[in-house]
């Protein structure tokens, strides 16, 4: 009998077809809507494996409902939507999709940095709203990117890919990471500094670290107060890393200059969120990895992880190491 897998979002048929020979596939049929919680809880009752998105919270309630579950394959590099320790205790393997989204997410991070520094969204609105009456010397002036100091918090794959882009812009590169990355320092001319120094010295502070409870509100009132008044904060990692109320106050009171946010504590962010009222904030709907090619590659890798783990048939990007795996 074939094993049952449940896929929590409609994925491209090119990805699904490859799984069809080996598994009984059940899939939530919407592309734009997350699977309702009650449907997920029902479907996992008989599933051997699930392919999840970051929109699904895989907690003890889901794991309790899934007695046969062996593998959770998340279509994301981040996996803070999954209670990994709980899965490990139950012998459930968790997999993710690192690598395939690195360059695309670095592109978006740099695009957001540039859009925020040069006020692109505001400038586009200015034109469309008929405010452009003449050229004037200080109209819509922003911050230079070339020659500025970028401070990268979290110097893993994506952090380093952003640093490579920064090098091309002749930026000074500072970084903070739990461990030093000597090879990358040499390749990019990056300088390791402690967390506070990166905050104090950088013109652009980019958050590129994985979320865990230890880094919840890592950037709050105190950290924002250490940053330059002309600094720009860029977050393409996870919303929970930034205390949004503190960020709102810092931006409103001009303690920092601007922010570019691709991620929020609650997603989708509420339309009446105070941060959305500020002209010096560029907001995006969590599109860091959203290129057509990369999303297909992520779906394919998540499918391969699930297949290879359940059939013990090849490499798996493992997040945990439960007994027996
Ligand atoms: C991830 O992979 O964790 C991103 O946030 C979504 O691509």
């Amino acid at each position: 009998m074939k094993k049952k897998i449940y896929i929590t979002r409609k994925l491209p048929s090119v990805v699904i077809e490859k799984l069809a020979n080996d598994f009984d596939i059940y899939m939530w049929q919407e592309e734009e809507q997350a699977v309702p919680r009650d449907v997920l809880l029902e479907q996992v009752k008989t599933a051997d494996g699930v392919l999840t998105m970051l929109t699904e919270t895989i907690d003890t309630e889901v794991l309790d409902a899934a007695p046969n579950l062996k593998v959770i394959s998340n279509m994301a590099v981040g996996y803070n939507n999954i209670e990994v320790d709980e899965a490990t205790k139950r012998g459930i393997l968790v997999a993710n999709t690192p690598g395939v989204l690195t360059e695309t997410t670095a592109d978006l991070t740099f695009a957001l940095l540039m859009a925020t520094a040069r006020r692109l969204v505001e400038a586009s609105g200015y034109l469309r709203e008929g405010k452009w009456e003449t050229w004037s010397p200080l109209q819509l002036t922003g911050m230079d990117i070339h020659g500025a100091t970028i401070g990268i918090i979290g110097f893993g794959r994506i952090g380093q890919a952003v640093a490579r882009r920064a090098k091309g812009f002749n930026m000074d590169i500072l970084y903070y990471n739990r461990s030093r990355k000597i090879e990358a320092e040499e390749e990019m001319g990056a300088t390791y500094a402690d967390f506070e120094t990166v905050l104090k010295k950088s013109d652009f502070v980019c958050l590129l670290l994985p979320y865990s409870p230890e880094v919840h509100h890592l950037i709050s009132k105190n950290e924002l107060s250490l940053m330059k008044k002309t600094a720009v904060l860029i977050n393409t990692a996870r919303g929970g890393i930034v205390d949004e109320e503190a960020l709102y106050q810092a931006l409103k009171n001009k303690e920092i200059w601007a922010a570019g946010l691709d991620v929020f504590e609650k997603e989708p962010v509420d339309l009446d969120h105070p941060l959305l009222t500020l002209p010096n904030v560029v907001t995006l709907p969590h599109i860091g990895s959203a290129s057509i090619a990369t999303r297909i590659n992520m779906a394919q890798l998540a499918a391969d992880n699930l297949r290879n783990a359940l059939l013990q048939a090849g490499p798996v990007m493992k997040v945990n190491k439960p007994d027996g795996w």
Side-chain angles (χ1 to χ4, degrees):
M1 214 172 74
K2 286 183 184 172
K3 292 186 165 138
K4 169 180 168 180
I5 58 175
Y6 186 61
I7 302 174
T8 64
R9 198 68 67 94
K10 186 166 185 209
L11 294 182
S13 42
V14 54
V15 174
I16 302 305
E17 277 157 17
K18 291 198 194 157
L19 293 169
N21 281 343
D22 296 313
F23 300 104
D24 277 339
I25 304 174
Y26 293 74
M27 181 163 74
W28 176 244
Q29 291 297 329
E30 302 286 338
E31 272 172 40
E32 300 289 335
Q33 301 265 313
V35 61
R37 183 84 176 165
D38 57 333
V39 176
L40 176 66
L41 287 169
E42 187 57 34
Q43 286 290 343
V44 295
K45 277 185 186 165
T46 48
D48 298 284
V50 283
L51 195 161
T52 50
M53 309 295 125
L54 50 79
T55 42
E56 279 79 63
T57 302
I58 307 296
D59 53 12
T60 44
E61 188 188 20
V62 175
L63 299 176
D64 282 345
N68 303 333
L69 194 64
K70 305 279 177 311
V71 181
I72 302 164
S73 177
N74 211 33
M75 187 182 138
V77 66
Y79 44 84
N80 56 302
N81 57 313
I82 300 170
E83 286 191 15
V84 176
D85 289 347
E86 204 47 53
T88 307
K89 274 190 219 155
R90 298 165 192 237
I92 298 171
L93 186 70
V94 180
N96 68 343
T97 61
V100 290
L101 48 71
T102 301
E103 299 299 329
T104 300
T105 307
D107 283 348
L108 187 280
T109 303
F110 220 80
L112 181 56
L113 182 155
M114 294 184 78
T116 310
R118 296 298 302 272
R119 301 168 64 182
L120 296 194
V121 177
E122 201 184 337
S124 175
Y126 185 86
L127 182 155
R128 285 170 183 242
E129 288 155 25
K131 294 181 183 159
W132 186 25
E133 288 175 1
T134 180
W135 183 93
S136 68
L138 294 181
Q139 185 182 57
L140 290 164
T141 43
M143 294 295 173
D144 273 329
I145 297 148
H146 67 275
T149 299
I150 187 170
I152 300 177
I153 314 273
F155 211 54
R157 290 184 182 87
I158 302 173
Q160 291 177 31
V162 169
R164 265 179 220 112
R165 285 153 180 77
K167 190 179 175 195
F169 277 74
N170 201 23
M171 298 177 93
D172 285 332
I173 304 166
L174 295 178
Y175 80 93
Y176 172 73
N177 196 61
R178 272 182 309 186
S179 57
R180 281 189 64 171
K181 305 281 179 178
I182 305 292
E183 262 181 44
E185 284 180 27
E186 280 161 14
E187 180 199 332
M188 293 150 212
T191 306
Y192 177 84
D194 62 64
F195 180 55
E196 284 201 359
T197 304
V198 172
L199 293 177
K200 282 183 186 158
K201 291 200 166 163
S202 301
D203 300 304
F204 296 91
V205 173
C206 293
L207 304 175
L208 288 159
L209 64 166
Y211 178 83
S212 67
E214 293 77 59
V215 298
H216 185 72
H217 288 187
L218 179 73
I219 302 294
S220 192
K221 191 174 170 9
N222 180 45
E223 293 71 29
L224 290 160
S225 74
L226 296 175
M227 289 169 62
K228 296 181 183 180
K229 288 205 174 346
T230 50
V232 175
L233 179 74
I234 301 294
N235 189 6
T236 50
R238 284 293 183 270
I241 298 170
V242 176
D243 176 345
E244 288 174 352
E245 172 56 26
L247 176 62
Y248 171 71
Q249 293 301 336
L251 287 161
K252 198 169 78 119
N253 301 330
K254 307 209 176 319
E255 286 160 30
I256 68 167
W257 190 75
L261 306 172
D262 182 41
V263 287
F264 295 86
E265 291 204 71
K266 173 176 172 287
E267 294 182 0
V269 64
D270 291 330
L271 287 182
D272 61 357
H273 194 297
L275 281 170
L276 272 56
T277 64
L278 298 174
N280 52 344
V281 182
V282 176
T283 50
L284 300 176
H286 202 146
I287 57 165
S289 62
S291 75
I292 298 167
T294 290
R295 284 289 165 83
I296 290 176
N297 288 338
M298 288 167 69
Q300 190 58 62
L301 180 54
D304 289 348
N305 282 336
L306 189 59
R307 180 181 177 280
N308 290 348
L310 281 173
L311 302 182
Q312 311 222 324
V316 178
M317 299 295 169
K318 293 180 187 171
V319 163
N320 63 345
K321 284 209 185 326
D323 287 345
W325 284 102

